[in-house]
């Protein structure tokens, strides 16, 4: 499936420019996941490369279809210079490997938790998966393969994650919008949830 990854990388370069850094992580029993870093003014964008090589499969299915099923890559945008966000590479690779390791299907509205701060000093251990089609357009593949979706990750504080479990992703996003929350601030505090 290297052809898929070549197309994905080309789409990322078209949308975000040339990456200024890249790192690769391999977990036992999984395909290699790369994380590319792009500089866009004062914003760092991290994109996974490798998650879309295979379609995500429902964990209850005995034999996964090698062609059909959702495909995705993850995108994280943070303001540069406020924190050591390059340490997010491993947590991003862990999240990108979760479909292979845990059999989860990552989709818009889902919460993903790494259990530790996303980077040193980060008030976030989890992310909310946003909707695709914004920063990087979906990548259409030949039938019967589904398109690759580029899903933005929105860091959540533990309180925001708990509130989201009760009220839902849309309610949390609406709260962020109402309060003018800068979701790219790597040191932001949690939004008021009263």
């Amino acid at each position: 499936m290297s052809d898929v990854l070549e197309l994905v990388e080309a789409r990322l370069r078209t949308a975000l420019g040339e990456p200024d850094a890249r790192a690769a992580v391999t977990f036992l029993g999984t395909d290699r996941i790369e994380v590319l870093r792009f500089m866009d003014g004062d914003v760092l964008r991290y994109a996974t490369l490798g998650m879309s090589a295979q379609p995500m499969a429902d964990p209850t299915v005995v034999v996964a279809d090698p062609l059909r099923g959702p495909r995705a890559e993850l995108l994280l945008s943070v303001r540069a210079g406020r924190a050591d966000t390059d340490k997010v590479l491993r947590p991003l690779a862990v999240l990108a490997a979760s479909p292979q390791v845990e059999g989860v299907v990552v989709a818009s509205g889902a919460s993903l938790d790494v259990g530790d701060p996303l980077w040193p000093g980060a008030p976030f251990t989890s992310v909310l998966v946003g909707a695709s089609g914004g920063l990087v357009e979906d990548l259409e593949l030949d039938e019967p393969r589904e398109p690759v979706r580029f899903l933005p990750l929105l860091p959540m504080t533990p309180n925001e994650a708990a509130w989201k479990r009760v009220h839902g992703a849309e309610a949390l996003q609406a709260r962020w919008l109402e309060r003018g929350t800068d979701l790219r601030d790597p040191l932001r505090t949690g939004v008021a949830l009263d």
Side-chain angles (χ1 to χ4, degrees), residues 105-118:
V105 175
V106 177
S108 178
S111 297
L112 303 174
D113 196 317
V114 294
D116 290 311
L118 294 175

Side-chain angles (χ1 to χ4, degrees), residues 2-191:
S2 63
D3 62 324
V4 170
L5 296 184
E6 288 171 14
L7 293 171
V8 167
E9 185 166 358
R11 175 59 53 94
L12 287 169
R13 287 173 184 269
T14 299
L16 304 175
E18 288 299 311
D20 69 344
R22 67 192 306 148
V25 179
T26 304
F27 302 101
L28 187 63
T30 67
D31 296 329
R32 184 170 99 155
I33 302 288
E34 289 188 80
V35 179
L36 284 60
R37 184 182 73 185
F38 301 86
M39 190 67 154
D40 182 10
D42 71 337
V43 176
L44 289 172
R45 301 194 193 280
Y46 299 93
T48 62
L49 179 62
M51 182 177 171
S52 62
Q54 303 295 327
M56 293 180 274
D58 183 329
T60 62
V61 174
V62 177
V63 178
D65 188 315
L67 295 177
R68 292 177 180 82
R71 295 173 189 260
E73 295 291 352
L74 307 175
L75 299 169
L76 175 69
S77 298
V78 292
R79 297 218 179 280
R82 301 213 53 216
D84 188 9
T85 56
D86 280 349
K87 300 284 196 235
V88 78
L89 301 177
R90 186 166 180 77
L92 274 180
V94 167
L95 296 177
S98 63
Q100 292 181 57
V101 175
E102 299 172 23
V104 299
V105 175
V106 177
S108 178
S111 297
L112 303 174
D113 196 317
V114 294
D116 290 311
L118 294 175
W119 51 82
F124 320 106
T125 61
S126 63
V127 293
L128 174 64
V129 180
S132 68
L135 189 61
V136 181
E137 286 183 39
D138 295 347
L139 173 64
E140 297 294 330
L141 299 175
D142 294 334
E143 291 288 338
R145 298 183 293 184
E146 291 185 29
V148 176
R149 304 199 186 285
F150 297 89
L151 302 171
L153 300 180
L154 310 171
M156 294 187 293
T157 66
N159 285 345
E160 290 170 339
W163 198 84
K164 181 257 178 193
R165 281 191 294 277
V166 174
H167 300 281
E170 287 182 19
L172 179 57
Q173 289 177 308
R175 182 62 57 101
W176 281 335
L177 193 58
E178 289 166 9
R179 306 290 166 102
T181 306
D182 181 2
L183 296 174
R184 294 179 182 166
D185 182 350
L187 299 175
R188 75 172 178 84
T189 57
V191 71

